[in-house]
Amino acid sequence: MIEFGYSLQSNRQIDFDLNDRRMLKYVRKNEPSIDWCMSCGTCASGCTAGATSDFSLRRMILMTRRGEEDELKTNIFRCRFCGKCINACPRGVNTRNVIYWMQQAVKNINAL
Amino acid sequence: MKSIAIIGGGVAGMEAAAKLSRMGFSVTIIEEKDQLGGKLMQWHALFPARRPSAEVLSNLKKQVKLGINTILNARVERIEKNDDGFAIVLNHNRMITAHAILLATGFDIFDASKKEEYGYGIYDNVITSVDLEKAFSSGKVVTAQGKTPKRIGFIHCVGSRDEKAGNPHCSKVCCVTGVKQAIELKEMIPDSEIYMYYMDLRMFGRHFEELYKEAQVKHHIQFIRGRLSEAFENQDNSVLIKIEDTLLGKPLKMNLDLMVLLVGMQPSGGIAGILRDLEVEKDADGFVKQTDNQLAPSKTNTPGVFAIGTVTGPKTIEETISEARAVTLEIADYLHNKVASRILMNENYSL
């Protein structure tokens, strides 16, 4: 096969008119403190899972808010529930619960 | 009796006039519009507690009563300095004299049409925070097509922190104004989605951070960090915006029924002649220079000329009121010591 040097790429743009924000509503209903997050990143800087993988709760919460599911689906299960982020969060977000309900949302996305 | 001319009859001018008058000075307010009030007249409610502007305005106006000379529809044509103080020539050949001058001329609102890429004045459904405030006063917020907007976006820092727009400074009050307006809109249209596009949220004042959290938690207003590069109008007159979600590191697009530009404060262009005649210096940002930012914030480089409120940079109403009260002591000190020093130097004093 001839190599043309280019290929079809997936669109990496966040499209708010198409994205699905059921996950945010579901997590918010079960753990309202997800709305307290102001994306400071304190949770991610000390994260046990984040030290060895792409896991970042700051990003996960933003993806939930934007309805970006693809990266969320794989990364959200990397959390080890050590709970360091709960101690760190300056706004008192119940981060462990937020992650738990995000995992539930990913597992049950079709039933939401 | 020593006299003070206050140029500008907005929040700063009215408050200073009332206090100086009570201290026994002869006070004249020179206002270019046909009534006192300044920019406050355009506003519906004030952050953070959403107090009606009309309430603050009427309280300020109530203080400006007998004993204060108010000249409306007045434009300063020329100011001359003399041994006694100043001679101010107004339009229609009027002239007043004063021993001290207080500049309370306020700010200009950034002209959003200068950011052509945002489409203000070109696209139907792009408005400014000032337009929105007027819509709140009318009790109804609708799109140009008369529909209730379902998705609304606020663009922060329009004409602020923008060197190409000529304004390198932060206008300071727009962040919290935007949050206040977003909450008001959400309460008015509960099923609407509201998004704030910001570079930084500068919630510097008391109760401001709490208002930001209230917007997030109670009203589900979403904050997206990124600065709008350009907007497009769709066939149905909605507005398509493209922005970098800088916290996710991804480009983002969204259609909005209504886009609100949070326009900033910039130095007043109309006072160039006054500053020239008084030889008052400006800073690099165009606002009047304070001789000492910490210790003499309302003194200009010209003795006898004082400046308060947004003429020396963006300020809230609280800050402006504090300055207006503080400057009364500066002016009293200046007028008193000017006489005292002339007696000491055995000069002819005629104040």
Side-chain angles (χ1 to χ4, degrees), chain A residues 12-17 21 24 28 35-39 58-59 62-63 65-66 68 91, chain B residues 151 193 195 209 212-213 216-217 220 222-224 245 247-255:
Chain A
R12 56 185 290 276
Q13 184 169 248
I14 303 169
D15 189 335
F16 255 80
D17 299 315
R21 271 160 288 142
L24 175 62
R28 178 186 281 155
D35 284 328
W36 304 358
C37 174
M38 56 176 177
S39 306
R58 178 186 69 78
R59 280 179 71 84
L62 282 174
M63 282 175 202
R65 287 178 173 171
R66 310 284 187 264
E68 289 282 291
R91 273 198 166 178
Chain B
R151 190 184 279 168
E193 283 178 24
Y195 299 90
E209 185 69 19
Y212 163 40
K213 192 172 175 188
Q216 283 182 294
V217 175
H220 299 157
Q222 284 208 38
F223 292 80
I224 300 174
D245 186 334
L247 291 176
L248 273 183
K250 282 181 164 197
L252 177 152
K253 73 168 186 154
M254 181 187 277
N255 282 298

Side-chain angles (χ1 to χ4, degrees), chain B residues 19-245:
Chain B
K19 296 290 181 281
L20 285 167
S21 172
R22 283 173 68 93
M23 288 167 85
F25 294 109
S26 161
V27 179
T28 303
I29 302 178
I30 299 165
E31 168 57 46
E32 67 169 350
K33 299 275 159 45
D34 58 0
Q35 54 181 315
L36 295 174
K39 300 274 194 310
L40 190 54
M41 287 190 290
Q42 300 178 23
W43 233 246
H44 174 251
L46 304 174
F47 60 74
R50 290 158 56 191
R51 182 183 190 187
S53 308
E55 194 183 301
V56 174
L57 187 59
S58 74
N59 277 312
L60 285 170
K61 273 187 176 172
K62 242 182 266 170
Q63 298 188 82
V64 182
K65 45 192 174 190
L66 228 57
I68 297 175
N69 181 23
T70 302
I71 308 176
L72 300 171
N73 301 308
R75 202 176 59 247
V76 175
E77 300 279 5
R78 199 170 73 247
I79 303 179
E80 283 159 18
K81 284 195 269 185
N82 54 43
D83 285 348
D84 268 350
F86 306 90
I88 303 164
V89 181
L90 304 177
N91 51 341
H92 305 303
N93 296 319
R94 289 170 291 184
M95 195 184 85
I96 59 165
T97 58
H99 297 116
I101 288 183
L102 178 57
L103 299 174
T105 45
F107 62 96
D108 282 352
I109 292 164
F110 176 73
D111 175 8
S113 63
K114 281 188 182 163
K115 294 290 290 178
E116 202 178 344
E117 59 272 36
Y118 292 179
Y120 183 68
I122 305 169
Y123 307 151
D124 284 352
N125 289 310
V126 178
I127 64 170
T128 67
S129 43
V130 182
D131 300 330
L132 183 60
E133 210 62 36
K134 284 177 191 156
F136 284 141
S137 295
S138 76
K140 204 167 96 178
V141 176
V142 289
T143 66
Q145 285 67 40
K147 291 182 192 146
T148 304
K150 284 287 142 65
R151 190 184 279 168
I152 303 138
F154 283 79
I155 312 297
H156 285 245
C157 295
V158 177
S160 302
R161 305 173 73 193
D162 186 339
E163 296 194 15
K164 276 195 197 162
N167 294 325
H169 62 274
C170 164
S171 288
K172 189 164 150 177
V173 297
C174 338
C175 277
V176 64
T177 297
V179 170
K180 178 206 74 122
Q181 291 185 331
I183 293 175
E184 285 171 306
L185 259 180
K186 184 76 184 180
E187 286 181 358
M188 199 179 243
I189 313 165
D191 60 342
S192 61
E193 283 178 24
I194 300 181
Y195 299 90
M196 315 297 284
Y197 291 96
Y198 68 96
M199 286 205 290
D200 294 292
L201 288 167
R202 299 187 162 180
M203 297 296 163
F204 63 96
R206 193 168 175 210
H207 307 305
F208 294 5
E209 185 69 19
E210 290 90 328
L211 200 69
Y212 163 40
K213 192 172 175 188
E214 183 193 324
Q216 283 182 294
V217 175
K218 192 172 163 197
H219 303 284
H220 299 157
I221 290 159
Q222 284 208 38
F223 292 80
I224 300 174
R225 186 170 175 273
R227 189 160 181 149
L228 179 64
S229 55
E230 54 183 335
F232 312 89
E233 191 174 47
N234 295 313
Q235 280 211 314
D236 65 353
N237 300 101
S238 60
V239 183
L240 170 65
I241 60 166
K242 289 186 174 179
I243 249 167
E244 165 86 352
D245 186 334

